[in-house]
């Protein structure tokens, strides 16, 4: 299978690319950092095609796809994984540019890739779109404001795609992970403050990017007649916290 992964230069995307290549698939690995993609290509070989793509530059996407080599033209699986959280401040202290970048990447980028690739899947009556959402798309938390809202979009967009794809064999899944250590997610969220990022994962056993790579591979290799609509996964140590009350005087 040919699998296009956005955000293949790190984290979940890289972990999935490694597993897919081992499993005999071809990967179109997209991200902004070519040095990271080239380093992966050196290890993974010719079945991994590095492609520079900034998903937030939505106008550039059709031409990048048109320029793919012949053997990578048919995209059997699209993994919309590129995304980021920026900041953990409450809304009244947040940076507007951070909010805009999250929407441009997590929402508009994901939409643009889907818009460019889905028609060919429908025409072939075969294909699979996996969107990487988050628990933040379902469960509000302090400082989650726009990040959580982008992932709520991803969830509802995924479900609405399922509705539109009635009668076709094209599958759609929204994967909704909770806390995952060892990727660049928190380093990006804390704008490069790596000590603060490390504290997020202190003192408990989180999931790893490899765990998520395993789950994504399982989804991709699952039988074509089964559609996993939503899949929420968390470390055992993480759970629901209940609603919060600010008592007078506290
Ligand atoms: P990482 O920061 O490790 O990886 C993010 C990837 O996205 C990188 O490859 C980065 O590549 C790419 N990316 C970011 N912006 C763009 C862009 N504009 N265009 C193209 N690629 C881009 O994060 P994770 O692997 O942890 O996260 C992957 C996805 O999973 C994200 O959507 C995130 O929101 C979601 N998620 C993460 C969780 C976690 O706890 N880690 C939990 C739940 C969901 P480059 O910088 O080279 O462009
Ligand atoms: C990432 C998970 O809990 O940091 O999407 O929002 S969380």
């Amino acid at each position: 299978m040919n699998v296009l992964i956005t955000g293949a230069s790190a984290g979940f995307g890289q972990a999935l690319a490694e597993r897919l290549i081992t499993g005999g698939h071809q990967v179109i690995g997209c991200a902004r950092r070519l040095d990271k993609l080239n380093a992966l290509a050196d290890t993974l070989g010719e079945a991994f095609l590095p492609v520079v793509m900034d998903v937030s530059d939505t106008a550039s996407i059709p031409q990048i796809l048109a320029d793919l080599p012949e053997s990578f033209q048919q995209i059997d699986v699209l993994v919309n994984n590129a995304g980021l959280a920026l900041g953990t401040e409450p809304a009244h202290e947040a940076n507007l540019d951070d909010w805009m970048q999250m929407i441009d990447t997590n929402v508009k980028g994901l939409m643009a890739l889907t818009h460019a690739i889905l028609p060919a899947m429908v025409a072939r009556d075969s294909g699979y779109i996996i969107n990487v959402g988050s628990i933040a798309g379902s469960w509000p938390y302090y400082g989650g404001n726009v990040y959580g809202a982008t992932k709520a979009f991803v969830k509802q967009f995924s479900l609405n795609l399922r509705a539109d794809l009635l009668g076709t064999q094209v599958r759609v899944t929204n994967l909704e992970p909770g806390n995952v250590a060892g990727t660049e997610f928190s380093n990006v969220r804390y704008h490069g403050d790596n000590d603060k990022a490390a504290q997020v994962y202190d003192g408990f056993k989180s999931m790893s990017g490899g765990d998520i790579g395993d789950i994504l591979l399982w989804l991709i290799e699952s039988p074509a007649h089964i559609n996993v609509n939503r899949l929420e996964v968390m470390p055992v140590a993480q759970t629901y916290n209940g609603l919060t009350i600010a008592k007078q005087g506290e």
Side-chain angles (χ1 to χ4, degrees):
M1 266 189 283
N2 284 347
V3 182
L4 188 149
I5 307 173
T6 65
S9 63
F12 305 172
Q14 177 179 336
L16 175 61
E18 292 164 351
R19 283 157 177 75
L20 285 166
I21 298 294
T22 304
H25 302 288
Q26 292 204 120
V27 172
I28 303 147
C30 306
R32 293 166 302 179
R33 289 172 295 176
L34 182 60
D35 56 329
K36 295 262 183 193
L37 293 175
N38 280 340
L40 258 182
D42 288 344
T43 322
L44 299 179
E46 286 181 359
F48 179 87
L49 180 72
V51 172
V52 175
M53 181 190 288
D54 179 347
V55 299
S56 69
D57 181 5
T58 54
S60 71
I61 288 170
Q63 193 60 52
I64 292 172
L65 296 177
D67 289 343
L68 292 174
E70 183 63 34
S71 63
F72 288 90
Q73 274 285 330
Q74 177 174 312
I75 295 162
D76 301 302
V77 182
L78 165 62
V79 183
N80 276 317
N81 163 73
L84 76 174
L86 292 170
T88 52
E89 295 80 14
H92 48 283
E93 293 169 9
N95 179 308
L96 185 59
D97 289 337
D98 285 351
W99 280 6
M100 295 299 183
Q101 192 180 343
M102 287 189 276
I103 287 175
D104 287 346
T105 309
N106 304 359
V107 174
K108 292 188 182 175
L110 180 143
M111 277 167 45
L113 260 299
T114 304
H115 189 265
I117 291 170
L118 184 58
M121 289 183 175
V122 172
R124 285 196 310 275
D125 201 18
S126 148
Y128 193 177
I129 295 181
I130 302 181
N131 293 326
V132 181
S134 167
I135 59 164
S138 298
W139 312 110
Y141 62 82
Y142 186 87
N145 42 72
V146 167
Y147 177 66
T150 65
K151 295 301 188 178
F153 172 91
V154 172
K155 177 174 67 179
Q156 198 61 23
F157 183 56
S158 305
L159 297 177
N160 279 339
L161 285 175
R162 284 281 293 136
D164 289 352
L165 290 167
L166 172 72
T168 78
Q169 297 302 309
V170 180
R171 299 190 286 166
V172 182
T173 294
N174 191 41
L175 176 62
E176 304 167 14
N179 187 288
V180 185
T183 75
E184 298 177 4
F185 178 80
S186 288
N187 310 80
V188 171
R189 185 169 213 172
Y190 287 108
H191 296 285
D193 185 336
N194 296 334
D195 290 338
K196 238 176 165 178
Q199 282 167 24
V200 174
Y201 309 102
D202 257 2
F204 70 100
K205 186 165 175 56
S206 185
M207 298 187 290
S208 67
D211 292 331
I212 302 301
D214 289 342
I215 292 167
L216 287 165
L217 182 67
W218 173 77
L219 286 168
I220 289 168
E221 294 189 337
S222 64
H225 66 287
I226 296 174
N227 197 95
V228 177
N229 298 329
R230 294 176 54 199
L231 182 54
E232 182 182 82
V233 286
M234 293 180 189
V236 174
Q238 183 175 35
T239 186
Y240 309 102
N241 191 27
L243 299 174
T244 309
I245 293 172
K247 296 197 176 163
Q248 288 171 0
E250 283 185 2

